[in-house]
């Protein structure tokens, strides 16, 4: 896909007309700090469009970026960040669950991002269960592939494939390895 434009539209934390405005929505979910915001920036080729940070818990709202005037890339907060209060963590978790499970919200594609090196965690498995329970299909990206040693790539891919039950695309926001595969899969 050729990216002609990408702009931030708004961040929501509850019901909003953008949630069912008829436009396609591609949601990026995953653990805090796994690189959701960086993945979106790198796919869109726009550094700094989406705020990313080495401090986990950066994204606090469900943020909508309109691409080519017709599709939203949706950046969600991450789950599982330990270093914030239980209350704040619950709030983010509820926001993610609300976005994924509200019947009135349209989803075109859900992209689950797993850390290529860490592999699926218990919280990732819980999220996969939620997606399955609500009948959502999803695409799996293993981000930060640049951190993998050459000889562990195949093994990590195999583990992530087995634990998610999905085809897995190795990706790096840093090198953009896998970009074409991600686009084909998202728009399949
Ligand atoms: N080496 C490497 N680092 C990455 C990659 N993608 C993201 N990072 C780094 O990981 C950190 C977190 O990135 P973010 O994009 O903010 O992660 P996030 O999932 O949006 O985090 P939250 O919004 O807090 O949930 C940043 O320091 C990024 O530079 C990657 O592909 N390779
Ligand atoms: Mg983020």
């Amino acid at each position: 896909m050729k990216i002609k434009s990408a702009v931030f539209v708004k961040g929501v934390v509850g019901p909003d007309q953008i949630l069912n405005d008829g436009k396609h929505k591609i949601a990026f979910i995953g653990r805090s700090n796994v690189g959701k915001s960086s993945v979106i920036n790198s796919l869109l080729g726009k550094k700094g469009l989406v705020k990313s940070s080495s401090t986990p818990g950066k994204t606090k709202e469900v943020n909508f970026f309109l691409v080519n005037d017709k599709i939203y890339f949706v950046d969600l907060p991450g789950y599982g960040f330990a270093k914030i209060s239980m209350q704040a963590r619950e709030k983010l978790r509820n926001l993610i669950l609300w976005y994924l499970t509200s019947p009135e919200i349209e989803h075109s594609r859900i992209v689950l991002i797993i850390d290529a090196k860490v592999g699926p965690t218990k919280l990732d498995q819980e999220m996969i269960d939620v997606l399955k329970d609500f009948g959502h299909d999803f695409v799996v990206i293993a981000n930060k592939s640049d951190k993998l040693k050459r000889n562990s790539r195949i093994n990590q891919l195999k583990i992530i494939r087995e634990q998610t039950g999905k085809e897995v695309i190795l990706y790096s926001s840093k090198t953009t390895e896998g970009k074409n595969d991600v686009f084909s899969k998202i728009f399949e």
Side-chain angles (χ1 to χ4, degrees):
M1 186 168 108
K2 192 162 162 36
I3 309 296
K4 284 172 261 171
S5 62
V7 289
F8 173 67
V9 179
K10 64 163 80 171
V12 310
V13 291
D16 192 287
Q17 56 83 24
I18 199 169
L19 300 169
N20 37 23
D21 65 357
K23 289 194 170 75
H24 284 296
K25 292 170 184 65
I26 301 171
F28 294 79
I29 64 169
R31 267 194 319 125
S32 183
N33 215 39
V34 74
K36 297 171 292 299
S37 302
S38 305
V39 167
I40 296 179
N41 276 332
S42 63
L43 288 174
L44 298 178
K46 289 218 170 190
K47 264 194 189 149
L49 174 70
V50 191
K51 289 190 186 68
S52 67
S53 160
S54 56
T55 312
K58 179 74 190 167
T59 309
K60 294 193 174 70
E61 299 185 332
V62 179
N63 290 321
F64 289 80
F65 298 86
L66 185 61
V67 179
N68 293 354
D69 286 324
K70 61 176 185 198
I71 301 167
Y72 292 115
F73 277 37
V74 185
D75 187 33
L76 279 111
Y79 43 85
F81 175 43
K83 287 183 193 153
I84 48 175
S85 71
M86 178 97 121
Q87 212 178 5
R89 202 161 56 207
E90 266 308 293
K91 204 168 144 192
L92 288 186
R93 183 182 149 81
N94 287 337
L95 181 61
I96 300 164
L97 291 179
W98 162 76
Y99 186 74
L100 294 175
T101 63
S102 295
E104 69 273 19
I105 301 176
E106 307 152 344
H107 297 283
S108 308
R109 202 47 107 210
I110 293 173
V111 181
L112 172 66
I113 304 179
I114 304 278
D115 188 301
K117 200 166 173 184
V118 176
T121 65
K122 200 167 149 250
L123 288 174
D124 290 323
Q125 291 296 352
E126 274 176 30
M127 198 47 70
I128 290 172
D129 290 342
V130 171
L131 293 174
K132 286 185 177 160
D133 286 349
F134 283 80
H136 292 313
D137 195 13
F138 56 95
V139 169
V140 178
I141 295 182
N143 186 43
K144 308 197 185 183
S145 67
D146 56 283
K147 287 187 165 184
L148 290 179
K149 293 213 177 71
R150 188 192 279 267
N151 59 11
S152 65
R153 289 168 57 96
I154 291 173
N155 202 35
Q156 277 306 96
L157 256 186
K158 185 164 165 264
I159 291 171
I160 302 170
R161 203 184 291 141
E162 280 170 5
Q163 295 189 8
T164 58
K166 290 279 179 188
E167 283 300 311
V168 178
I169 303 170
L170 267 188
Y171 186 76
S172 164
S173 325
K174 225 173 176 173
T175 67
T176 70
E177 169 191 8
K179 191 167 176 173
N180 290 340
D181 291 341
V182 170
F183 273 120
S184 336
K185 197 77 187 168
I186 290 178
F187 296 111
E188 200 168 63

